[in-house]
Amino acid sequence: MFRPVPVPVLPPSTALADLATAGEHHAWLVGTTGVFTSRPTAPLVLRWTGETWQVEPLPELPAPASLSGVSAAAPDDVWAVGNSDGHPLLLHYDGTTWDIVPTPRITWAKAVAATRDEVHVVGTGPDTLHYDGTTWRLRTALSSARESLQTITAAGPHDLWAGGGGLAGAGPATYEYPVLAHWDGHTWTEITGPRTERGHVARLAATTPDDIWLGHVRDTDGLRVHRWDGEQWTAVPPPPDTGRLSVHGVAAGWTWGVRATHRSFETRPAFHRWTDDHWTPVALPDDLARASASHVGLATTGTTTWAYLKTAAGVHILRHTVP
């Protein structure tokens, strides 16, 4: 069962975006405040101290900004990515303070993957940002300017997967198709993913080079899960659930999303864990299980899993630990 942990009071205008862990006792949650208000948007980072979550002090920015992704190579090597004034915004945490890191420009940064050796940032357009420990460079990952990446995961220091979508056709005949690319330590190569003709790759998560989880979205069908075993992709059956279940994301061995009953448009949070060969729903505290939720997400170390969601009562962060 997920159990709530203390969370600071955050503005109702808070939008949550991504969560990362580094071992069993370190985690970070990023998002944006001031969303859909007259105030400028501002980046938000929460850090787990071992006892509670606290808001991190961030550098002052001259323009409105937002955060969309976070990745932790180690407790003292954390990267958060977003955008400010039309430029990518990259923040680095060294275990004590957060600093702004200048980079080349890509159109719109969406996700980041950090290892002890390298950092990669993906976003709108075919180009990525690559840090080799010394210098930031633009790297082209996709063949078309109509293709973009929105998710990235590291299976190893020089073994990364990135996914997104491209547009084909024109006018009313325009449609979206999934794209997938792999980094081998030297170059990005577009590769064939699961047999999915339309839609886009919404989420990637890796545990090892032969255990990659992929979430694919097509139109309003919700997210479908596929798994790479080192040789081939296999479709993973969706979690069984009562009501209308909409899966929003996938991690290694987990899915998250929302469900709605046939008589209500309210969306209840839903988390499922993969055990052996099937999905098992993971219970929430009663008050949260009954609440309408948004901004649902999750990250796991395998032993400790953190989940977040937002309800009318505010932001909630929960922890699940494998016995």
Side-chain angles (χ1 to χ4, degrees), residues 42-75:
L44 170 72
V45 177
L46 299 177
R47 179 174 65 89
W48 174 246
T49 67
E51 297 180 354
T52 186
W53 286 84
Q54 69 176 23
V55 177
E56 291 283 87
L58 300 178
E60 290 190 14
L61 295 168
S66 62
L67 289 178
S68 57
V70 62
S71 180

PDB file of all heavy atoms in Angstrom, residues 42-75:
ATOM      1  N   ALA A  42       6.982  29.902 -12.354  1.00  0.00           N
ATOM      2  CA  ALA A  42       8.299  29.743 -11.737  1.00  0.00           C
ATOM      3  C   ALA A  42       8.585  28.267 -11.527  1.00  0.00           C
ATOM      4  O   ALA A  42       7.683  27.479 -11.240  1.00  0.00           O
ATOM      5  CB  ALA A  42       8.356  30.483 -10.400  1.00  0.00           C
ATOM      6  N   PRO A  43       9.848  27.850 -11.664  1.00  0.00           N
ATOM      7  CA  PRO A  43      10.186  26.444 -11.465  1.00  0.00           C
ATOM      8  C   PRO A  43      10.066  26.053  -9.990  1.00  0.00           C
ATOM      9  O   PRO A  43      10.273  26.874  -9.089  1.00  0.00           O
ATOM     10  CB  PRO A  43      11.636  26.349 -11.949  1.00  0.00           C
ATOM     11  CG  PRO A  43      12.172  27.733 -11.789  1.00  0.00           C
ATOM     12  CD  PRO A  43      11.027  28.656 -12.033  1.00  0.00           C
ATOM     13  N   LEU A  44       9.741  24.785  -9.765  1.00  0.00           N
ATOM     14  CA  LEU A  44       9.571  24.248  -8.421  1.00  0.00           C
ATOM     15  C   LEU A  44      10.343  22.937  -8.318  1.00  0.00           C
ATOM     16  O   LEU A  44      10.226  22.079  -9.191  1.00  0.00           O
ATOM     17  CB  LEU A  44       8.095  23.999  -8.121  1.00  0.00           C
ATOM     18  CG  LEU A  44       7.778  23.212  -6.839  1.00  0.00           C
ATOM     19  CD1 LEU A  44       8.037  24.077  -5.609  1.00  0.00           C
ATOM     20  CD2 LEU A  44       6.327  22.724  -6.858  1.00  0.00           C
ATOM     21  N   VAL A  45      11.132  22.791  -7.248  1.00  0.00           N
ATOM     22  CA  VAL A  45      11.795  21.522  -6.955  1.00  0.00           C
ATOM     23  C   VAL A  45      11.541  21.169  -5.496  1.00  0.00           C
ATOM     24  O   VAL A  45      11.755  21.994  -4.602  1.00  0.00           O
ATOM     25  CB  VAL A  45      13.320  21.581  -7.207  1.00  0.00           C
ATOM     26  CG1 VAL A  45      13.973  20.250  -6.818  1.00  0.00           C
ATOM     27  CG2 VAL A  45      13.617  21.912  -8.658  1.00  0.00           C
ATOM     28  N   LEU A  46      11.056  19.951  -5.259  1.00  0.00           N
ATOM     29  CA  LEU A  46      10.927  19.420  -3.912  1.00  0.00           C
ATOM     30  C   LEU A  46      11.969  18.322  -3.732  1.00  0.00           C
ATOM     31  O   LEU A  46      12.220  17.530  -4.635  1.00  0.00           O
ATOM     32  CB  LEU A  46       9.536  18.824  -3.677  1.00  0.00           C
ATOM     33  CG  LEU A  46       8.334  19.765  -3.793  1.00  0.00           C
ATOM     34  CD1 LEU A  46       7.047  18.980  -3.589  1.00  0.00           C
ATOM     35  CD2 LEU A  46       8.420  20.885  -2.785  1.00  0.00           C
ATOM     36  N   ARG A  47      12.554  18.251  -2.516  1.00  0.00           N
ATOM     37  CA  ARG A  47      13.564  17.224  -2.226  1.00  0.00           C
ATOM     38  C   ARG A  47      13.177  16.470  -0.961  1.00  0.00           C
ATOM     39  O   ARG A  47      12.731  17.066   0.021  1.00  0.00           O
ATOM     40  CB  ARG A  47      14.941  17.861  -2.039  1.00  0.00           C
ATOM     41  CG  ARG A  47      16.061  16.845  -1.706  1.00  0.00           C
ATOM     42  CD  ARG A  47      17.420  17.519  -1.667  1.00  0.00           C
ATOM     43  NE  ARG A  47      17.519  18.492  -0.585  1.00  0.00           N
ATOM     44  CZ  ARG A  47      17.933  18.187   0.656  1.00  0.00           C
ATOM     45  NH1 ARG A  47      18.278  16.943   0.974  1.00  0.00           N
ATOM     46  NH2 ARG A  47      18.005  19.146   1.567  1.00  0.00           N
ATOM     47  N   TRP A  48      13.334  15.152  -1.014  1.00  0.00           N
ATOM     48  CA  TRP A  48      13.088  14.316   0.155  1.00  0.00           C
ATOM     49  C   TRP A  48      14.326  14.358   1.055  1.00  0.00           C
ATOM     50  O   TRP A  48      15.432  14.039   0.618  1.00  0.00           O
ATOM     51  CB  TRP A  48      12.794  12.883  -0.271  1.00  0.00           C
ATOM     52  CG  TRP A  48      12.674  11.897   0.853  1.00  0.00           C
ATOM     53  CD1 TRP A  48      13.510  10.853   1.121  1.00  0.00           C
ATOM     54  CD2 TRP A  48      11.652  11.842   1.853  1.00  0.00           C
ATOM     55  NE1 TRP A  48      13.073  10.159   2.220  1.00  0.00           N
ATOM     56  CE2 TRP A  48      11.936  10.740   2.697  1.00  0.00           C
ATOM     57  CE3 TRP A  48      10.525  12.628   2.120  1.00  0.00           C
ATOM     58  CZ2 TRP A  48      11.135  10.400   3.784  1.00  0.00           C
ATOM     59  CZ3 TRP A  48       9.718  12.294   3.203  1.00  0.00           C
ATOM     60  CH2 TRP A  48      10.025  11.198   4.014  1.00  0.00           C
ATOM     61  N   THR A  49      14.142  14.773   2.304  1.00  0.00           N
ATOM     62  CA  THR A  49      15.261  14.926   3.232  1.00  0.00           C
ATOM     63  C   THR A  49      15.544  13.665   4.029  1.00  0.00           C
ATOM     64  O   THR A  49      16.508  13.613   4.789  1.00  0.00           O
ATOM     65  CB  THR A  49      14.969  16.055   4.233  1.00  0.00           C
ATOM     66  OG1 THR A  49      13.871  15.665   5.079  1.00  0.00           O
ATOM     67  CG2 THR A  49      14.628  17.350   3.519  1.00  0.00           C
ATOM     68  N   GLY A  50      14.708  12.655   3.877  1.00  0.00           N
ATOM     69  CA  GLY A  50      14.792  11.464   4.710  1.00  0.00           C
ATOM     70  C   GLY A  50      13.689  11.436   5.735  1.00  0.00           C
ATOM     71  O   GLY A  50      13.362  10.380   6.286  1.00  0.00           O
ATOM     72  N   GLU A  51      13.095  12.612   5.992  1.00  0.00           N
ATOM     73  CA  GLU A  51      11.990  12.717   6.945  1.00  0.00           C
ATOM     74  C   GLU A  51      10.783  13.434   6.374  1.00  0.00           C
ATOM     75  O   GLU A  51       9.647  13.158   6.739  1.00  0.00           O
ATOM     76  CB  GLU A  51      12.454  13.442   8.214  1.00  0.00           C
ATOM     77  CG  GLU A  51      13.554  12.711   8.971  1.00  0.00           C
ATOM     78  CD  GLU A  51      13.987  13.469  10.216  1.00  0.00           C
ATOM     79  OE1 GLU A  51      13.508  14.612  10.414  1.00  0.00           O
ATOM     80  OE2 GLU A  51      14.806  12.930  10.973  1.00  0.00           O
ATOM     81  N   THR A  52      11.021  14.365   5.464  1.00  0.00           N
ATOM     82  CA  THR A  52       9.932  15.137   4.874  1.00  0.00           C
ATOM     83  C   THR A  52      10.368  15.650   3.510  1.00  0.00           C
ATOM     84  O   THR A  52      11.545  15.558   3.145  1.00  0.00           O
ATOM     85  CB  THR A  52       9.560  16.327   5.779  1.00  0.00           C
ATOM     86  OG1 THR A  52       8.402  16.989   5.257  1.00  0.00           O
ATOM     87  CG2 THR A  52      10.698  17.322   5.866  1.00  0.00           C
ATOM     88  N   TRP A  53       9.393  16.170   2.754  1.00  0.00           N
ATOM     89  CA  TRP A  53       9.699  16.840   1.504  1.00  0.00           C
ATOM     90  C   TRP A  53       9.795  18.341   1.758  1.00  0.00           C
ATOM     91  O   TRP A  53       8.976  18.904   2.487  1.00  0.00           O
ATOM     92  CB  TRP A  53       8.616  16.563   0.469  1.00  0.00           C
ATOM     93  CG  TRP A  53       8.671  15.177  -0.079  1.00  0.00           C
ATOM     94  CD1 TRP A  53       8.127  14.065   0.464  1.00  0.00           C
ATOM     95  CD2 TRP A  53       9.316  14.756  -1.283  1.00  0.00           C
ATOM     96  NE1 TRP A  53       8.388  12.963  -0.315  1.00  0.00           N
ATOM     97  CE2 TRP A  53       9.113  13.356  -1.409  1.00  0.00           C
ATOM     98  CE3 TRP A  53      10.036  15.416  -2.274  1.00  0.00           C
ATOM     99  CZ2 TRP A  53       9.614  12.620  -2.474  1.00  0.00           C
ATOM    100  CZ3 TRP A  53      10.530  14.678  -3.352  1.00  0.00           C
ATOM    101  CH2 TRP A  53      10.323  13.301  -3.442  1.00  0.00           C
ATOM    102  N   GLN A  54      10.784  18.974   1.162  1.00  0.00           N
ATOM    103  CA  GLN A  54      10.950  20.417   1.336  1.00  0.00           C
ATOM    104  C   GLN A  54      11.166  21.092  -0.006  1.00  0.00           C
ATOM    105  O   GLN A  54      11.682  20.490  -0.945  1.00  0.00           O
ATOM    106  CB  GLN A  54      12.132  20.724   2.259  1.00  0.00           C
ATOM    107  CG  GLN A  54      13.498  20.405   1.676  1.00  0.00           C
ATOM    108  CD  GLN A  54      14.633  20.809   2.592  1.00  0.00           C
ATOM    109  OE1 GLN A  54      14.443  20.932   3.808  1.00  0.00           O
ATOM    110  NE2 GLN A  54      15.814  21.031   2.040  1.00  0.00           N
ATOM    111  N   VAL A  55      10.742  22.361  -0.086  1.00  0.00           N
ATOM    112  CA  VAL A  55      10.941  23.160  -1.290  1.00  0.00           C
ATOM    113  C   VAL A  55      12.394  23.611  -1.346  1.00  0.00           C
ATOM    114  O   VAL A  55      12.933  24.150  -0.379  1.00  0.00           O
ATOM    115  CB  VAL A  55       9.998  24.373  -1.303  1.00  0.00           C
ATOM    116  CG1 VAL A  55      10.271  25.247  -2.526  1.00  0.00           C
ATOM    117  CG2 VAL A  55       8.550  23.925  -1.279  1.00  0.00           C
ATOM    118  N   GLU A  56      13.039  23.380  -2.469  1.00  0.00           N
ATOM    119  CA  GLU A  56      14.433  23.740  -2.645  1.00  0.00           C
ATOM    120  C   GLU A  56      14.592  25.195  -3.078  1.00  0.00           C
ATOM    121  O   GLU A  56      13.835  25.680  -3.939  1.00  0.00           O
ATOM    122  CB  GLU A  56      15.084  22.844  -3.708  1.00  0.00           C
ATOM    123  CG  GLU A  56      15.244  21.408  -3.297  1.00  0.00           C
ATOM    124  CD  GLU A  56      16.415  21.234  -2.355  1.00  0.00           C
ATOM    125  OE1 GLU A  56      16.215  21.402  -1.130  1.00  0.00           O
ATOM    126  OE2 GLU A  56      17.531  20.956  -2.824  1.00  0.00           O
ATOM    127  N   PRO A  57      15.561  25.919  -2.527  1.00  0.00           N
ATOM    128  CA  PRO A  57      15.860  27.266  -3.038  1.00  0.00           C
ATOM    129  C   PRO A  57      16.538  27.170  -4.397  1.00  0.00           C
ATOM    130  O   PRO A  57      17.495  26.412  -4.577  1.00  0.00           O
ATOM    131  CB  PRO A  57      16.816  27.833  -1.981  1.00  0.00           C
ATOM    132  CG  PRO A  57      17.427  26.634  -1.323  1.00  0.00           C
ATOM    133  CD  PRO A  57      16.400  25.544  -1.372  1.00  0.00           C
ATOM    134  N   LEU A  58      16.022  27.927  -5.356  1.00  0.00           N
ATOM    135  CA  LEU A  58      16.546  27.892  -6.720  1.00  0.00           C
ATOM    136  C   LEU A  58      17.097  29.260  -7.101  1.00  0.00           C
ATOM    137  O   LEU A  58      16.706  30.282  -6.526  1.00  0.00           O
ATOM    138  CB  LEU A  58      15.438  27.494  -7.694  1.00  0.00           C
ATOM    139  CG  LEU A  58      14.785  26.128  -7.468  1.00  0.00           C
ATOM    140  CD1 LEU A  58      13.678  25.914  -8.491  1.00  0.00           C
ATOM    141  CD2 LEU A  58      15.809  25.011  -7.531  1.00  0.00           C
ATOM    142  N   PRO A  59      17.971  29.321  -8.089  1.00  0.00           N
ATOM    143  CA  PRO A  59      18.491  30.619  -8.549  1.00  0.00           C
ATOM    144  C   PRO A  59      17.366  31.490  -9.096  1.00  0.00           C
ATOM    145  O   PRO A  59      16.380  30.987  -9.655  1.00  0.00           O
ATOM    146  CB  PRO A  59      19.473  30.229  -9.664  1.00  0.00           C
ATOM    147  CG  PRO A  59      19.753  28.784  -9.464  1.00  0.00           C
ATOM    148  CD  PRO A  59      18.546  28.190  -8.829  1.00  0.00           C
ATOM    149  N   GLU A  60      17.506  32.787  -8.949  1.00  0.00           N
ATOM    150  CA  GLU A  60      16.532  33.710  -9.523  1.00  0.00           C
ATOM    151  C   GLU A  60      16.675  33.729 -11.038  1.00  0.00           C
ATOM    152  O   GLU A  60      17.778  33.693 -11.582  1.00  0.00           O
ATOM    153  CB  GLU A  60      16.746  35.116  -8.964  1.00  0.00           C
ATOM    154  CG  GLU A  60      16.371  35.254  -7.499  1.00  0.00           C
ATOM    155  CD  GLU A  60      16.373  36.703  -7.056  1.00  0.00           C
ATOM    156  OE1 GLU A  60      16.407  37.591  -7.949  1.00  0.00           O
ATOM    157  OE2 GLU A  60      16.346  36.952  -5.845  1.00  0.00           O
ATOM    158  N   LEU A  61      15.528  33.802 -11.716  1.00  0.00           N
ATOM    159  CA  LEU A  61      15.513  33.830 -13.166  1.00  0.00           C
ATOM    160  C   LEU A  61      14.921  35.148 -13.645  1.00  0.00           C
ATOM    161  O   LEU A  61      13.976  35.666 -13.038  1.00  0.00           O
ATOM    162  CB  LEU A  61      14.691  32.666 -13.712  1.00  0.00           C
ATOM    163  CG  LEU A  61      15.270  31.268 -13.431  1.00  0.00           C
ATOM    164  CD1 LEU A  61      14.238  30.198 -13.744  1.00  0.00           C
ATOM    165  CD2 LEU A  61      16.531  31.049 -14.245  1.00  0.00           C
ATOM    166  N   PRO A  62      15.431  35.697 -14.743  1.00  0.00           N
ATOM    167  CA  PRO A  62      14.942  36.988 -15.215  1.00  0.00           C
ATOM    168  C   PRO A  62      13.611  36.907 -15.941  1.00  0.00           C
ATOM    169  O   PRO A  62      13.005  37.936 -16.245  1.00  0.00           O
ATOM    170  CB  PRO A  62      16.047  37.450 -16.171  1.00  0.00           C
ATOM    171  CG  PRO A  62      16.655  36.173 -16.674  1.00  0.00           C
ATOM    172  CD  PRO A  62      16.583  35.209 -15.521  1.00  0.00           C
ATOM    173  N   ALA A  63      13.134  35.693 -16.248  1.00  0.00           N
ATOM    174  CA  ALA A  63      11.909  35.532 -17.032  1.00  0.00           C
ATOM    175  C   ALA A  63      11.107  34.365 -16.474  1.00  0.00           C
ATOM    176  O   ALA A  63      11.633  33.530 -15.741  1.00  0.00           O
ATOM    177  CB  ALA A  63      12.250  35.294 -18.504  1.00  0.00           C
ATOM    178  N   PRO A  64       9.807  34.312 -16.792  1.00  0.00           N
ATOM    179  CA  PRO A  64       9.009  33.151 -16.373  1.00  0.00           C
ATOM    180  C   PRO A  64       9.648  31.853 -16.848  1.00  0.00           C
ATOM    181  O   PRO A  64      10.283  31.815 -17.911  1.00  0.00           O
ATOM    182  CB  PRO A  64       7.656  33.391 -17.046  1.00  0.00           C
ATOM    183  CG  PRO A  64       7.593  34.872 -17.239  1.00  0.00           C
ATOM    184  CD  PRO A  64       8.993  35.311 -17.518  1.00  0.00           C
ATOM    185  N   ALA A  65       9.469  30.791 -16.068  1.00  0.00           N
ATOM    186  CA  ALA A  65      10.118  29.527 -16.398  1.00  0.00           C
ATOM    187  C   ALA A  65       9.271  28.366 -15.901  1.00  0.00           C
ATOM    188  O   ALA A  65       8.387  28.528 -15.056  1.00  0.00           O
ATOM    189  CB  ALA A  65      11.513  29.471 -15.782  1.00  0.00           C
ATOM    190  N   SER A  66       9.558  27.194 -16.439  1.00  0.00           N
ATOM    191  CA  SER A  66       8.858  25.977 -16.037  1.00  0.00           C
ATOM    192  C   SER A  66       9.846  24.821 -16.054  1.00  0.00           C
ATOM    193  O   SER A  66      10.883  24.879 -16.725  1.00  0.00           O
ATOM    194  CB  SER A  66       7.691  25.681 -16.974  1.00  0.00           C
ATOM    195  OG  SER A  66       8.172  25.470 -18.301  1.00  0.00           O
ATOM    196  N   LEU A  67       9.517  23.752 -15.321  1.00  0.00           N
ATOM    197  CA  LEU A  67      10.324  22.539 -15.334  1.00  0.00           C
ATOM    198  C   LEU A  67       9.465  21.374 -15.798  1.00  0.00           C
ATOM    199  O   LEU A  67       8.299  21.255 -15.426  1.00  0.00           O
ATOM    200  CB  LEU A  67      10.889  22.237 -13.945  1.00  0.00           C
ATOM    201  CG  LEU A  67      11.994  23.173 -13.439  1.00  0.00           C
ATOM    202  CD1 LEU A  67      12.421  22.782 -12.034  1.00  0.00           C
ATOM    203  CD2 LEU A  67      13.200  23.166 -14.381  1.00  0.00           C
ATOM    204  N   SER A  68      10.067  20.502 -16.617  1.00  0.00           N
ATOM    205  CA  SER A  68       9.323  19.385 -17.177  1.00  0.00           C
ATOM    206  C   SER A  68       9.954  18.031 -16.900  1.00  0.00           C
ATOM    207  O   SER A  68       9.292  17.003 -17.066  1.00  0.00           O
ATOM    208  CB  SER A  68       9.183  19.561 -18.691  1.00  0.00           C
ATOM    209  OG  SER A  68      10.465  19.692 -19.292  1.00  0.00           O
ATOM    210  N   GLY A  69      11.219  17.990 -16.492  1.00  0.00           N
ATOM    211  CA  GLY A  69      11.872  16.703 -16.279  1.00  0.00           C
ATOM    212  C   GLY A  69      12.983  16.786 -15.262  1.00  0.00           C
ATOM    213  O   GLY A  69      13.545  17.857 -15.018  1.00  0.00           O
ATOM    214  N   VAL A  70      13.325  15.644 -14.658  1.00  0.00           N
ATOM    215  CA  VAL A  70      14.406  15.577 -13.684  1.00  0.00           C
ATOM    216  C   VAL A  70      15.035  14.194 -13.755  1.00  0.00           C
ATOM    217  O   VAL A  70      14.362  13.199 -14.036  1.00  0.00           O
ATOM    218  CB  VAL A  70      13.896  15.875 -12.259  1.00  0.00           C
ATOM    219  CG1 VAL A  70      12.860  14.857 -11.813  1.00  0.00           C
ATOM    220  CG2 VAL A  70      15.037  15.965 -11.261  1.00  0.00           C
ATOM    221  N   SER A  71      16.348  14.129 -13.530  1.00  0.00           N
ATOM    222  CA  SER A  71      17.072  12.865 -13.528  1.00  0.00           C
ATOM    223  C   SER A  71      18.216  12.970 -12.528  1.00  0.00           C
ATOM    224  O   SER A  71      18.880  14.003 -12.450  1.00  0.00           O
ATOM    225  CB  SER A  71      17.616  12.548 -14.925  1.00  0.00           C
ATOM    226  OG  SER A  71      18.324  11.331 -14.943  1.00  0.00           O
ATOM    227  N   ALA A  72      18.449  11.897 -11.782  1.00  0.00           N
ATOM    228  CA  ALA A  72      19.481  11.888 -10.755  1.00  0.00           C
ATOM    229  C   ALA A  72      20.506  10.810 -11.054  1.00  0.00           C
ATOM    230  O   ALA A  72      20.173   9.621 -11.066  1.00  0.00           O
ATOM    231  CB  ALA A  72      18.865  11.667  -9.385  1.00  0.00           C
ATOM    232  N   ALA A  73      21.746  11.216 -11.308  1.00  0.00           N
ATOM    233  CA  ALA A  73      22.824  10.252 -11.478  1.00  0.00           C
ATOM    234  C   ALA A  73      23.338   9.784 -10.127  1.00  0.00           C
ATOM    235  O   ALA A  73      23.820   8.663  -9.989  1.00  0.00           O
ATOM    236  CB  ALA A  73      23.958  10.874 -12.284  1.00  0.00           C
ATOM    237  N   ALA A  74      23.212  10.637  -9.112  1.00  0.00           N
ATOM    238  CA  ALA A  74      23.666  10.350  -7.759  1.00  0.00           C
ATOM    239  C   ALA A  74      23.039  11.399  -6.835  1.00  0.00           C
ATOM    240  O   ALA A  74      22.499  12.407  -7.309  1.00  0.00           O
ATOM    241  CB  ALA A  74      25.190  10.402  -7.681  1.00  0.00           C
ATOM    242  N   PRO A  75      23.094  11.199  -5.517  1.00  0.00           N
ATOM    243  CA  PRO A  75      22.516  12.202  -4.613  1.00  0.00           C
ATOM    244  C   PRO A  75      23.123  13.597  -4.759  1.00  0.00           C
ATOM    245  O   PRO A  75      22.476  14.592  -4.429  1.00  0.00           O
ATOM    246  CB  PRO A  75      22.806  11.614  -3.218  1.00  0.00           C
ATOM    247  CG  PRO A  75      22.881  10.145  -3.445  1.00  0.00           C
ATOM    248  CD  PRO A  75      23.514   9.978  -4.796  1.00  0.00           C
TER     249      PRO A  75
END
